[in-house]
């Protein structure tokens, strides 16, 4: 079957997918809770509803997106009509992570189908209930030659990566991103790599501290800190630190109660391996809030750490859990010293009332995307490209850009036949002056 031919067919299958997700939303939310106690509110906001919104927008705009896009012709080619034709790459492999296991598998899949590709999706093995429901839905909606789910772990991913693909879309860690890039290079397969990093959250002396604390607590502890764009560490003016910590404590207690373990709104660490990795990074003497943990339940409390050692285990790599180190600076130049220790992050946040300070941070540092006076929410606007830079990834998607990501852009010049200017043709004898004049004029 040739899936790239019919826009109606793409719309029809995407509508089927939309209906299947709406029909099974309760089961999807349950699967996410079974996998790592993702709160229902977060499951709707960041997983099911996100995919539903993306699907609706794609179905609505697909015909427009697939239309050849006219561009201004070049006078050198006069007379011509120039346009960009979007064609599907062909066979696409999507490898997804576990932290937003529904959304990060389905959103690229929607775009790949919209662009007319055949897809093989490998969801994460660490969230098996969600992977199972994804398989059920996909099998119900798509023919196996069109979209197929292959569940399993590293071996399955490696086997898939050893095959030839026309496009690979990977979301996950930097380390595995490198493996994917190397496998793609064998066949010169284009890739999108949506990776991670150590996302700084910088607060200057003009910031509204109370509001900053509220928005940082939300962005850091949603999904128990297992968010690729969660603030990784705070960098705050030294004299504001203790004030800010008390605001953070207040906000954590307001959000999750005196004992966050009992809160239905606080997720768990995905597995024991990650729990251990995180607990090993908590130095008890540095804890100013939280620090409790329970392996039975893969629970780690929202934890604030006073950190002043950039060489510590906690500061070595992306935290990816509910531990928030607070670092301080006195002079602005120290911000650069700290940030330059790390690879370009996926996100950066700056809290300030100073337009100059915000501008300086945005201009001076390279990062995937971010917010001024908020965290994480840049993800929600599908008119903004979402992706990393350097070690935090390559390529970007969301909204129209997702469709473009999965389409090859063919440039076409449709030349008229009623006129054929002879200047460009050999013999060039005596034509150099004229061509120079024209090129100069253009
Ligand atoms: P991961 O890299 O361990 O796994 C991602 C996928 O790759 C899984 O499907 C897994 O089965 C597969 N995989 C694992 N090891 C492999 C190997 N050796 N060879 C081939 N495939 C392999 O990542 P994760 O733990 O699932 O997710 C957490 C990471 O993902 C964090 O670093 C986070 O920042 C990043 N992330 C990035 C984004 C983004 O949009 N940029 C979103 C979510 C998560």
């Amino acid at each position: 079957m040739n899936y790239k031919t019919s826009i109606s067919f793409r719309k029809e299958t995407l509508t089927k997918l939309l209906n299947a997700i709406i029909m099974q939303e309760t089961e999807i939310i349950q699967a996410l809770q079974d996998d790592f106690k993702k709160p229902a509110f977060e499951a709707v906001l960041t997983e099911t509803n996100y995919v539903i919104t993306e699907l609706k927008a794609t179905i609505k705009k697909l015909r427009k997106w697939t239309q050849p896009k006219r561009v201004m012709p070049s006078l050198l080619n006069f007379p011509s009509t120039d346009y960009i034709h979007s064609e599907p790459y062909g066979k696409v492999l999507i490898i997804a992570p576990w932290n937003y296991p529904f959304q990060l598998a389905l959103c690229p899949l929607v775009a790949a189908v919209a662009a007319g590709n055949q897809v093989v999706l490998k969801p994460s093995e660490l969230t098996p209930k969600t992977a199972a429901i994804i398989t059920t839905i996909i099998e119900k909606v798509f023919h196996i030659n069109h979209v197929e789910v292959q569940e399993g772990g590293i071996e399955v991913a490696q086997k898939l990566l050893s095959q030839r693909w026309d496009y690979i879309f990977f979301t996950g860690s930097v380390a595995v991103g490198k493996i994917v890039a190397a496998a793609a290079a064998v066949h010169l397969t284009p890739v999108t790599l949506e990776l991670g990093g150590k996302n700084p959250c910088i607060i200057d002396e003009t910031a509204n501290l109370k509001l900053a604390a509220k928005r940082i607590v939300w962005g850091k502890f949603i999904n128990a800190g297992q968010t690729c764009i969660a603030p990784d560490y705070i960098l705050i003016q030294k004299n504001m630190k203790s004030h800010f910590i008390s605001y953070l404590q207040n906000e954590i207690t307001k959000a999750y109660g005196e004992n966050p373990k009992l809160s239905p709104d606080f997720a768990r660490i995905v597995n024991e391996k990650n729990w251990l990795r995180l607990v090993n990074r908590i130095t008890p003497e540095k804890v100013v809030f939280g620090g409790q943990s329970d392996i039975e339940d893969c629970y780690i409390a929202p934890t604030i750490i006073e950190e002043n050692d950039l060489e510590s285990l906690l500061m070595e790599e992306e935290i990816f859990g509910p531990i928030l180190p607070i670092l301080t600076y006195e002079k602005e130049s120290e911000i650069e010293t700290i940030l330059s220790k790390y690879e370009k992050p996926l996100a950066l946040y700056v809290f300030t009332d100073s337009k100059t300070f915000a501008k300086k941070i945005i201009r001076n540092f390279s990062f995937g995307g971010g917010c001024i006076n908020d965290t994480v929410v840049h993800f929600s606007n599908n008119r903004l490209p979402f992706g990393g830079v350097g070690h935090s990834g390559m390529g970007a998607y969301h909204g129209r850009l997702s469709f473009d990501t999965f389409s090859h852009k063919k440039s076409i010049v449709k030349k008229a036949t009623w006129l054929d200017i002879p200047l460009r043709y050999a013999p060039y004898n005596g034509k150099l002056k004229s061509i120079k004049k024209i090129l100069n004029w253009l």
Side-chain angles (χ1 to χ4, degrees), residues 77-82 413-421 424:
N77 294 328
F78 183 81
S80 77
T81 309
D82 297 9
V413 172
K414 182 174 170 248
K415 200 70 191 275
T417 50
W418 57 269
L419 179 69
D420 192 35
I421 299 168
R424 68 173 151 143

Side-chain angles (χ1 to χ4, degrees), residues 42 220-227 266-269 300 320-322:
E42 291 180 14
K220 176 70 188 184
F221 298 112
I222 190 170
N223 214 33
Q226 301 163 114
T227 303
F266 188 66
R268 294 299 181 259
I269 306 306
I300 298 178
F320 218 59

Side-chain angles (χ1 to χ4, degrees), residues 174-186:
V174 175
V176 181
K178 289 179 185 175
I179 295 172
V180 172
V186 173

Side-chain angles (χ1 to χ4, degrees), residues 9-253:
F9 177 73
R10 298 181 205 173
K11 282 180 77 163
E12 195 185 301
T13 46
L14 290 175
T15 307
K16 267 199 213 164
L17 178 62
L18 172 65
N19 293 335
I21 292 172
I22 292 171
M23 286 277 292
Q24 289 200 251
E25 191 174 15
T26 314
E27 288 91 332
I28 299 164
I29 294 167
Q30 189 58 53
L32 290 160
Q33 286 190 341
D34 294 345
D35 278 332
F36 61 111
K37 287 202 180 160
K38 190 180 283 251
F41 181 91
E42 291 180 14
V44 170
L45 182 71
T46 64
E47 303 255 17
T48 55
N49 191 264
Y50 196 90
V51 176
I52 288 170
T53 307
E54 195 84 349
L55 259 166
K56 283 182 178 165
T58 305
I59 293 164
K60 191 168 159 206
K61 298 197 176 133
L62 188 59
R63 201 158 287 279
K64 190 171 163 212
W65 291 348
T66 49
Q67 291 304 306
K69 187 172 178 275
R70 287 275 292 270
V71 296
M72 275 281 284
S74 161
L75 275 178
L76 278 175
N77 294 328
F78 183 81
S80 77
T81 309
D82 297 9
Y83 62 92
I84 301 165
H85 177 92
S86 296
E87 77 171 10
Y89 276 104
K91 276 178 70 185
V92 166
L93 172 65
I94 296 171
I95 301 181
W98 56 264
N99 62 329
Y100 291 86
F102 189 73
Q103 186 230 118
L104 295 174
L106 267 290
C107 278
L109 184 142
V110 167
V113 169
N117 298 284
Q118 286 171 265
V119 184
V120 171
L121 165 70
K122 199 209 81 67
S124 173
E125 68 280 21
L126 301 191
T127 39
K129 292 279 181 359
T130 310
I133 194 137
I134 288 174
T135 306
T136 309
I137 290 172
I138 295 299
E139 284 179 351
K140 217 184 274 175
V141 172
F142 295 96
H143 188 277
I144 193 162
N145 293 337
H146 185 193
V147 180
E148 183 188 353
V149 183
Q150 289 206 15
E151 287 187 52
I154 297 174
E155 325 72 54
V156 173
Q158 282 172 342
K159 205 166 156 212
L160 288 168
L161 284 172
S162 68
Q163 297 167 27
R164 184 172 179 156
W165 301 91
D166 298 305
Y167 202 94
I168 300 176
F169 189 102
F170 171 79
T171 309
S173 61
V174 175
V176 181
K178 289 179 185 175
I179 295 172
V180 172
V186 173
H187 299 291
L188 291 180
T189 303
V191 281
T192 293
L193 300 176
E194 293 285 339
L195 311 176
K198 245 181 140 41
N199 308 320
C201 187
I202 304 162
I203 305 172
D204 84 346
E205 70 278 8
T206 66
N208 177 339
L209 279 194
K210 195 165 185 291
L211 190 60
K214 195 178 188 176
R215 291 178 177 175
I216 290 167
V217 164
W218 178 76
K220 176 70 188 184
F221 298 112
I222 190 170
N223 214 33
Q226 301 163 114
T227 303
C228 54
I229 48 173
D232 189 274
Y233 61 96
I234 302 286
L235 196 46
I236 188 167
Q237 270 276 348
K238 194 169 188 178
N239 55 14
M240 299 165 73
K241 183 173 81 171
S242 55
H243 222 104
F244 181 64
I245 289 178
S246 66
Y247 281 131
L248 281 178
Q249 292 172 344
N250 259 339
E251 292 300 336
I252 293 172
T253 312

